[in-house]
């Protein structure tokens, strides 16, 4: 997984990232969401160029919205994924979360465009 960070991530930030993703996504209780978000916020504060950390933070906010529906969680998820893509426009995790957010908001055209970009950048799919 470290190779997807470009090898430039701060080790302390990566440790915070692992704490955040180590919390099972299946556990969607409010307390678990807070722990996940806290760990990931620490990771991206430690390394503000950690694109994968921002993408996973976006996913954590998306999951928090499932437990505690609130547009502020959707806004946080979208903002963190967008920031991740500013840092690394080839990051599949950010596109996947954005696609899920757009689908949730019934913006069905946007996930299709994001998905087509994702398929073009997939390491297992040759670029035309």
């Amino acid at each position: 997984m470290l190779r997807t960070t470009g090898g430039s991530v701060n080790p302390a930030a990566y440790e915070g990232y692992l704490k955040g993703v180590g919390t099972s996504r299946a556990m969607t209780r409010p307390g678990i969401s807070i722990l996940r978000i806290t760990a990931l916020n620490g990771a991206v504060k430690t390394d503000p160029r950690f694109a994968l950390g921002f993408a996973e933070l976006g996913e954590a906010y998306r999951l928090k919205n499932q437990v505690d529906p609130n547009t502020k969680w959707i806004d946080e998820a979208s903002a963190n994924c967008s920031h991740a893509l500013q840092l690394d426009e080839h990051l599949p995790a950010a596109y996947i979360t954005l696609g899920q957010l757009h689908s949730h908001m019934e913006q069905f055209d946007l996930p299709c465009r994001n998905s087509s970009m994702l398929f073009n950048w997939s390491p297992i799919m040759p670029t035309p």
Side-chain angles (χ1 to χ4, degrees):
M1 183 60 98
L2 190 54
R3 69 179 172 77
T4 61
T5 67
S8 62
V9 69
N10 178 312
Y14 194 68
E15 183 177 338
Y17 167 82
L18 290 176
K19 286 179 185 174
V21 298
T23 308
S24 173
R25 290 182 183 185
M27 299 173 69
T28 55
R29 296 185 314 249
I32 298 299
S33 296
I34 292 168
L35 291 174
R36 181 182 295 124
I37 289 168
T38 300
L40 292 165
N41 265 321
V44 298
K45 284 181 183 170
T46 301
D47 187 348
R49 305 235 0 109
F50 187 17
L52 187 58
F54 281 103
E56 189 62 35
L57 184 56
E59 175 65 4
Y61 278 113
R62 186 189 71 79
L63 292 172
K64 182 167 179 58
N65 185 65
Q66 291 179 342
V67 176
D68 176 22
N70 191 319
T71 57
K72 72 179 177 179
W73 306 136
I74 292 173
D75 293 342
E76 285 287 339
S78 181
N80 279 287
C81 287
S82 294
H83 186 69
L85 291 172
Q86 288 174 351
L87 295 171
D88 181 354
E89 67 180 7
H90 302 289
L91 192 61
Y95 284 108
I96 291 167
T97 298
L98 283 173
Q100 290 172 325
L101 285 170
H102 293 156
S103 179
H104 172 76
M105 295 182 301
E106 298 184 359
Q107 296 176 336
F108 298 114
D109 181 45
L110 294 173
C112 293
R113 282 187 283 182
N114 286 343
S115 296
S116 67
M117 286 186 277
L118 178 62
F119 287 123
N120 286 337
W121 291 326
S122 173
I124 60 172
M125 301 279 294
T127 305

